Amino acid sequence: MPPTKAPKYGHLFIAVQRCGLRITKELFLKRVRDITPEGHDPFPWTVDDFLYTNREKIIKHKLGEKLKQYLFPGHSKSTNLERLDLNTFCFLLIHFCGLEIRVRQDINRLRKLRNKLVHLGDGDIDEYTYETDLDRIRGIISRCSNELNNPELAVELENVIKEIENVQLADFEKAREKLKEWMVDETKYRVWIKFTQEGFDGLKTALQDVQERLEENGKLGHIDISFSSAILFIELGKELEEAFSGAYQGSVPGKLHTHIQSCVDAIKEDIRQMGPEVESVSIGSIIFKFTCFSVTSLIYLVDYFSGPILQRRLHGIAKALQDMVDDLVTIQICVPPENSQEIIQKLEKVCVSEDDVIPQAKRKKVFNDPLYGQIELHPLCVKIIDTPQFQRLRHIKQLETCYLVYPGASHNRFEHSIGVCHLAGKFLRVLKELQPELDITTKDILCVEIAALCHDLGQGPFSHVFEHKFIPTVFPDSKWKHEMATVKMFEYMLRDNEGKLREYFRQMIPGFEESDIEFIKELIGVPADLDAQVWPYRGRNKNKSFLYEVVANGVNGIDVDRWDYLARDSLMMGMKTTFRYSRLIQHAKVLVAEGRKQICYREKAAETLYDMFYSRMTLYKTAYQHKTHNIIGLMIRDALLAANRKITFASEKGEELPISDTIHDMKAYTHLTDDILQQIQRSTSDDLKTSREILDRIIHREFYKCIIQTQIDVEQKGWIQKKDVQKTLFDKINQKRKQIDPTDSSKILEIDVVNLDYGFKDNDPVTKVWFFKKGQEDTPIRIDKEQVSFVLPDTFAEQYVRVYSSVTDSHLFDIIEQSFSEWCDENDIPQPKGLSIPKDDSPK
């Protein structure tokens, strides 16, 4: 017996036919009322008033001409709305009702979904497509019901969707026939863009194999290869064949000819590096011929023709065709098989000989990472890794002196940088797959991966000890940041190494341009304001602003750099963390918010984001700002200060530069790593005696002492400035000890103010993140923490004030405690825990 239940595509038919028809009819009637001219009598317009006012425009349209007998039945008759179908209402709404763009997009989605179902035939659809289309229908219902200000309608139609699983086959057949009705002739066209993957995939695999063999043997020179690809228009029908014939001959002015020509021009512009030529143009096809200068550029070209980029270029033609016939034509992209074979044969001749073939296993560039397992990096990334400037990162600790507190924290910037590179590529590939309309190219991904790989090139010895303790002491007015040195080191890396690396960039980045170098430097430099009135970058335009949020996100702090160090540092220190970056990747989407494209997240990922920021604060509190770790950092700073002018490094100009001045010369800076401490310890020079004594104290764990500390409620007291605390406390301490020791106590004491927060001072960082809801995926929204959980913190920051001493003196410690206690009283700050001196409560 035949099945009595309708298949999944039958459920969608019911949802589109019932919900779509109701929504579009109600929207149409509302717009007729809304656009009635003021003072019209009677008010508002009737449907016939609207139609006859727009009669000339409607009939000029091809579909309007065919709908004439239904829309304009005669002077004595009124239009019968019950005879109008979903397609007719969509036609009127889109072209003549002045819809806002977001509503018009929804109506277009509904129309396209109807067309897809009509042409599906009797084939069913998979579960993912079914759920995706249902969610899309729900979103359209929700947004259009809001536009109608009719929540009851939303509930009614949602119930229709809930009941569709109970639809019987007979009901489905009736709905399908109703949905297939056209107020036009019965000529059917199929209009969509189709890619023949077989030829492309085979060619790309073969090309990548050849490329690896060439790289292994150093044969990356220019290779001129001809490549042909065709855009074919299938099943045009007589009417469209005539239109296309006229368009190609230039005799048909207007939209169709314009779109075909602009499509060809756009393709030329996209791949201008390869020198495209239009080999032939006929009624049913456009054949392009390219001359490629390297295997890499050829792979890029194959990527272009087999991926979503060209698909979007052809949307203009598809739209023009749809306007002409109001239905779907196949646009097919293919590469001739004989062309592929010829290319590979030519390349084999310049590749390695048969007796010199390198085994496949040796060609892969695989890194075994403790976090991600085996990861494979692009050959250009490997070329960067194999430079002295990057290898330097093997000798710079990721967590400065934390390994002296947490023995396992001895990992380096080297492995962290590789991890960030891996995550950047993974994140962008997911976005590219889920949102092909973003036009994320292979080149974009590679440039971001390179930036992620190189983002820490400018770190000094012991990282933040050098940047935040040593340099500010030597140059108090300097605003130097390691990102500045990163850009300079990247530039030096390109011009060093006999210029080979820059040549690799030119050869191995698809369609390489100098702006790609600029783009990478922008990604690794000090972040600019992405929301500035004038777009601050030149490497990529504002349409790709979201790319600037992947490596170092100055907008909300959610980036792959943070994802890697949270996971890696927790692992190496033996700390547990519940944060999982993979959940954020799965729930990310790029939307337009506040005038530019930003990375947004599904609303249910908000809790994961709070988890991320909490994990960050926990690591800062227990490790990064651990008092013993900070004390050792101060001791290393003092050792470097004492050795600053005693150890020098050769500059590019041959000058000998002290440690502090190497930040201005990258040749010298390349040789400045954590090894500077071993250099000091190995030395027997009297000039380095003071530095050696400080380092000997570290080895024997005779650290400076943390005399006292207290916490400050930032929300209640506001932010305490370090310089203000130092001035007041030093004055108090010096006043109390001046009769015993008149020397300035700042020579032996360090007053430190430690800021602990979620990354944005005392603000909730999640308020800076855009989200979206299921069913409303195209609408960015903000979320309050109360919408996530009621047990999230009310305060997102605190401060610690600490006093360290480089000498051991019990009398001095008493003076410090007394002065600190007085300062706390004067500023209404909690007294330190375990205060050893009695608090004076007598009246002053």
Side-chain angles (χ1 to χ4, degrees), residues 642-674:
N644 187 31
R645 299 286 169 183
K646 312 301 188 304
I647 298 177
T648 60
F649 297 84
S651 71
E652 282 194 81
K653 296 180 179 179
E655 302 169 339
E656 293 296 321
L657 301 179
I659 296 172
S660 57
D661 288 0
T662 58
I663 62 175
H664 305 301
D665 186 279
M666 292 303 103
K667 179 181 179 182
Y669 198 56
T670 299
H671 300 288
L672 180 62
T673 67
D674 292 0

Side-chain angles (χ1 to χ4, degrees), residues 309-572:
I309 305 173
L310 184 60
Q311 181 176 354
R312 288 189 294 282
R313 289 298 183 202
L314 296 174
H315 279 169
I317 293 180
K319 181 67 168 59
L321 297 177
Q322 287 173 352
D323 285 346
M324 290 186 67
V325 299
D326 279 287
D327 201 351
L328 291 180
V329 179
T330 304
I331 303 176
Q332 188 177 92
I333 315 299
C334 68
V335 53
E338 60 275 10
N339 188 214
S340 302
Q341 295 169 7
E342 181 185 357
I343 290 170
I344 297 304
Q345 288 173 1
K346 286 182 178 179
L347 288 174
E348 287 291 349
K349 293 179 181 179
V350 296
C351 204
V352 294
S353 60
E354 291 184 5
D355 58 352
D356 194 28
V357 174
I358 297 175
Q360 178 69 21
K362 293 184 179 180
R363 296 186 209 135
K364 293 182 178 180
K365 284 74 178 176
V366 178
F367 295 81
N368 193 26
D369 186 84
L371 272 179
Y372 315 115
Q374 289 192 333
I375 57 179
E376 187 173 353
L377 298 186
H378 190 281
L380 181 54
C381 292
V382 178
K383 296 294 184 185
I384 293 170
I385 291 171
D386 293 341
T387 63
Q389 292 75 26
F390 192 89
Q391 289 294 317
R392 167 182 180 270
L393 298 180
R394 289 185 184 273
H395 312 293
I396 296 178
K397 292 287 187 292
Q398 170 76 5
L399 295 185
E400 310 154 19
T401 64
C402 266
Y403 69 98
L404 295 173
V405 181
Y406 295 93
S410 58
H411 54 301
N412 302 310
R413 293 277 166 183
F414 180 87
E415 50 263 43
H416 164 66
S417 297
I418 291 175
V420 177
C421 175
H422 166 68
L423 285 185
K426 181 176 181 178
F427 192 16
L428 281 180
R429 287 185 183 92
V430 170
L431 288 176
K432 178 180 180 179
E433 181 178 351
L434 295 178
Q435 293 183 266
E437 71 276 6
L438 294 176
D439 196 15
I440 300 174
T441 65
T442 302
K443 178 164 72 168
D444 290 335
I445 295 176
L446 180 55
C447 286
V448 174
E449 285 179 325
I450 291 170
L453 186 68
C454 298
H455 80 283
D456 270 346
L457 286 178
Q459 291 282 6
F462 294 96
S463 302
H464 299 297
V465 169
F466 185 82
E467 179 177 0
H468 298 303
K469 291 182 172 67
F470 174 70
I471 291 297
T473 305
V474 179
F475 305 116
D477 299 325
S478 173
K479 295 182 179 180
W480 182 85
K481 295 183 178 181
H482 78 270
E483 291 91 347
M484 300 174 182
T486 296
V487 174
K488 294 180 69 174
M489 184 67 83
F490 179 74
E491 293 173 335
Y492 175 64
M493 181 173 65
L494 289 179
R495 67 175 183 269
D496 193 33
N497 309 296
E498 300 178 350
K500 290 181 180 178
L501 188 60
R502 174 173 278 278
E503 180 63 17
Y504 286 132
F505 269 63
R506 193 184 69 79
Q507 294 175 353
M508 300 172 74
I509 293 180
F512 170 77
E513 297 174 289
E514 285 300 319
S515 60
D516 297 324
I517 299 289
E518 186 70 20
F519 177 44
I520 294 169
K521 291 195 293 185
E522 290 168 347
L523 290 172
I524 62 180
V526 179
D529 181 9
L530 295 179
D531 296 317
Q533 190 172 5
V534 178
W535 180 242
Y537 290 125
R538 294 183 298 176
R540 292 295 185 273
N541 60 34
K542 193 173 183 179
N543 193 47
K544 292 195 175 180
S545 59
F546 63 92
L547 294 177
Y548 290 90
E549 298 179 6
V550 176
V551 178
N553 191 339
V555 178
N556 53 40
I558 306 170
D559 52 50
V560 294
D561 178 25
R562 178 163 294 176
W563 293 351
D564 183 87
Y565 79 66
L566 289 178
R568 191 175 300 277
D569 295 352
S570 298
L571 175 68
M572 303 309 290

